[in-house]
Amino acid sequence: MLVRSSGPKFWEAKFYLVDALALFEERLMFLGGLNYSKVNNLSLNYLANTRVRINRDRRTPQAGAVWRVTKAVGLYANYSESFRQIATLRTNADRSLTPFDPLIAKGYDAGVKYDLADGRYSGQAAVFRTVNINGRQSFQATDALGAYSYETQVGENQARGFELRLAANVTRNFQLVGGYTQTHSYVSKNPANPAIIGRAQIRSPTHTATVTTSYRFTTGWLKGASAGFNASYRGQAKAFETNDPYPYLLDPRIVVNARAGYATRLLGRPVTWNLNVSNVFNEKYYPSSISMGDPTSWRLSADYRF
């Protein structure tokens, strides 16, 4: 794969090896894999007439196991890693430009999955832990040339928590999907700024939840129509990192989106009309410290098959 932009040229080769093993009439299943990534990045500075080449490679394993306790309940555990090289050069504290080390993520999760009443109710309950290595943090500085921004790689961030998921076919026409996640995300290592070790990650709320519904009308004058909504909740989170131990906070918010559709035929062919309304109640909130979230918006679309 070759990606071109104004400065860097980026090549990445990936190789995958995956295998699965099933025992005891497929009640116990193992899945394992190994990904090999080789990155070759060439950064060109036409003004300074410089060329900086980055060569990186890494093996990232994946493994998982599932034990079907019954036909409806299973226990599982997974482990995976990912690897991503930052293609562009980054500004250092002395204004020099150098490549950064690749971003590495490791994830662990384990829990129970269930599928009850012939598939009418399904979901999972799980605990998880993620570790992100070589993340970036921005700083502001001033020197003889004036004010500027630079970045450092900050060591390690971690997140621990649990999540619940439920999907239910309440009736043949009414579906409900919901979930809740509790996360404790924090800075676990930061050689560049040890004072923030243990602090919460920016834009990472402790509590999040979502509910999505859908209903299809199959009889009467509304036959062919469907409607539903999605409501998402994000709890309070830190807006950005400062040296002040009392941070700026993003307020909790609930944002509701709605959808209505109608399936019919036009010139003998199926056509579906959809109306999507985002942020139905025009909730005013800040998804980050930069700007406010989008206000109420409408979108009407048609899907015509021929």
Side-chain angles (χ1 to χ4, degrees):
M1 177 176 65
L2 172 61
V3 180
R4 295 183 182 273
S5 60
S6 59
K9 295 181 178 180
F10 183 72
W11 293 265
E12 182 174 12
K14 285 183 173 290
F15 302 91
Y16 302 91
L17 178 63
V18 180
D19 197 10
L21 175 65
L23 302 172
F24 309 117
E25 298 181 345
E26 297 188 349
R27 292 191 62 186
L28 178 61
M29 291 174 284
F30 296 96
L31 177 67
L34 183 65
N35 301 335
Y36 175 74
S37 300
K38 185 173 180 60
V39 172
N40 189 343
N41 183 69
L42 178 63
S43 294
L44 304 174
N45 187 325
Y46 298 105
L47 295 177
N49 194 27
T50 59
R51 300 162 60 94
V52 178
R53 185 176 295 276
I54 306 171
N55 288 304
R56 298 280 195 276
D57 68 323
R58 185 176 176 86
R59 297 173 181 83
T60 53
Q62 296 179 344
V66 177
W67 170 253
R68 287 194 302 129
V69 181
T70 68
K71 290 183 178 181
V73 178
L75 304 177
Y76 76 94
N78 291 314
Y79 171 78
S80 62
E81 291 185 14
S82 65
F83 158 83
R84 183 169 69 87
Q85 177 62 48
I86 302 171
T88 57
L89 300 179
R90 317 308 295 186
T91 303
N92 298 300
D94 60 359
R95 289 185 179 263
S96 63
L97 297 174
T98 58
F100 272 9
D101 291 332
L103 305 178
I104 299 170
K106 302 179 181 181
Y108 314 79
D109 64 292
V112 56
K113 295 183 178 182
Y114 55 90
D115 191 350
L116 308 174
D118 295 325
R120 285 188 59 188
Y121 305 98
S122 61
Q124 69 180 57
V127 294
F128 62 87
R129 174 174 176 249
T130 61
V131 180
N132 296 289
I133 302 171
N134 294 334
R136 306 195 306 272
Q137 183 178 3
S138 297
F139 293 89
Q140 301 294 321
T142 303
D143 60 10
L145 299 177
Y148 67 101
S149 299
Y150 69 93
E151 292 180 312
T152 63
Q153 290 193 277
V154 297
E156 182 181 279
N157 306 322
Q158 293 194 34
R160 306 168 185 262
F162 71 89
E163 62 178 1
L164 304 173
R165 294 287 181 267
L166 168 67
N169 294 308
V170 182
T171 68
R172 187 177 66 175
N173 300 329
F174 178 50
Q175 290 80 43
L176 172 68
V177 178
Y180 167 77
T181 303
Q182 185 183 86
T183 307
H184 173 46
S185 180
Y186 61 98
V187 178
S188 50
K189 294 180 182 179
N190 194 321
N193 191 356
I196 70 171
I197 293 176
R199 291 189 186 178
Q201 280 285 7
I202 62 172
R203 297 190 295 277
S204 180
T206 300
H207 305 282
T208 58
T210 181
V211 176
T212 302
T213 67
S214 178
Y215 187 85
R216 294 183 299 113
F217 297 88
T218 56
T219 59
W221 64 276
L222 284 176
K223 182 178 180 179
S226 62
F229 75 87
N230 167 264
S232 61
Y233 168 79
R234 289 176 65 87
Q236 183 175 271
K238 184 166 65 176
F240 52 87
E241 189 61 72
T242 69
N243 290 325
D244 190 337
Y246 302 99
Y248 293 92
L249 299 174
L250 302 174
D251 292 333
R253 81 245 186 190
I254 297 177
V255 179
V256 178
N257 305 316
R259 180 196 63 82
Y262 185 70
T264 184
R265 299 185 73 84
L266 180 64
L267 301 177
R269 298 291 183 180
V271 59
T272 302
W273 301 88
N274 280 295
L275 174 64
N276 293 279
V277 184
S278 299
N279 196 359
V280 173
F281 300 108
N282 199 26
E283 176 77 8
K284 293 178 172 57
Y285 65 95
Y286 285 87
S288 70
S289 59
I290 299 175
S291 61
M292 292 190 67
D294 294 331
T296 302
S297 62
W298 305 71
R299 185 181 67 184
L300 179 64
S301 64
D303 179 10
Y304 181 67
R305 300 184 181 184
F306 55 90

